[in-house]
Amino acid sequence: MVTRRLTGEQMTVMEVRGQGTCWFADRASEINLVSLQGDKLYVESSNLLATDAGLRTGTTFTGLRGASQGNGLFTTTVEGHGQAAIMSDGPAVVLRVSRQYPLTVDPGAYIAHQGNLQQSFQSGVTFRTLFGEGGGEAFQIRFEGDGLVYVQPSERNTIAGDI
């Protein structure tokens, strides 16, 4: 718990035990189940709704990607065997990344990723941007390797979106 407070990845957790059905929701968000088979899911704590009891959560340093989203320099990790429920504003789109097909996404649409992916932060800011003539996004996240990236069909407000 101390790690989460120091990193800013604060997350309130409730444990449910017993028999029966338990329903989870948050502000009418779309719920997407992600199956983990011993791999690791990287997800913003604000997009994580629930995990199976057998999954472990932690934090990891994300650097500028997290800062560009307005989420800080750390993100939540979920690993083990089981399912995690992640939330999105609209149905999440799952995009495959391979060595032949890297992926660039808007930080405001990013929800989570899993697999053997390397990420880098790209700037689209040019001299024209300073005069209000630039087009496209100021910053993007580029993923290379082999894995899946989850994005939502709308953008949250980000620091990068204000530049």
Side-chain angles (χ1 to χ4, degrees):
M1 188 57 89
V2 172
T3 302
R4 290 197 173 278
R5 291 196 180 165
L6 289 175
T7 62
E9 275 294 296
Q10 297 179 18
M11 181 171 58
T12 304
V13 178
M14 173 179 65
E15 184 174 335
V16 178
R17 294 180 187 211
Q19 295 178 349
T21 303
C22 185
W23 300 96
F24 295 97
D26 185 23
R27 292 169 277 163
S29 295
E30 191 83 19
I31 309 299
N32 308 275
L33 295 179
V34 177
S35 293
L36 298 174
Q37 302 300 320
D39 52 334
K40 189 182 289 190
L41 176 71
Y42 299 83
V43 59
E44 295 305 322
S45 61
S46 60
N47 292 101
L48 182 61
L49 179 63
T51 66
D52 283 341
L55 294 173
R56 296 175 307 283
T57 60
T59 57
T60 189
F61 181 72
T62 59
L64 291 176
R65 178 190 58 82
S68 71
Q69 294 172 264
N71 289 325
L73 299 174
F74 294 84
T75 195
T76 299
T77 58
V78 181
E79 62 184 312
H81 295 273
Q83 289 187 319
I86 60 174
M87 300 180 294
S88 61
D89 185 13
V93 178
V94 183
L95 302 167
R96 172 149 302 280
V97 178
S98 68
R99 299 198 192 299
Q100 300 85 1
Y101 299 104
L103 177 68
T104 303
V105 301
D106 181 323
Y110 170 83
I111 302 170
H113 73 274
Q114 70 185 110
N116 187 20
L117 293 174
Q118 297 77 44
Q119 54 183 312
S120 59
F121 189 68
Q122 295 182 328
S123 171
V125 177
T126 64
F127 184 71
R128 293 181 65 177
T129 306
L130 298 176
F131 293 103
E133 296 178 7
E137 299 295 330
F139 299 99
Q140 300 90 30
I141 308 167
R142 181 177 173 91
F143 291 93
E144 296 179 88
D146 185 36
L148 301 173
V149 176
Y150 301 82
V151 295
Q152 59 189 1
S154 66
E155 296 181 51
R156 67 176 74 75
N157 290 332
T158 64
I159 294 171
D162 294 336
I163 295 178

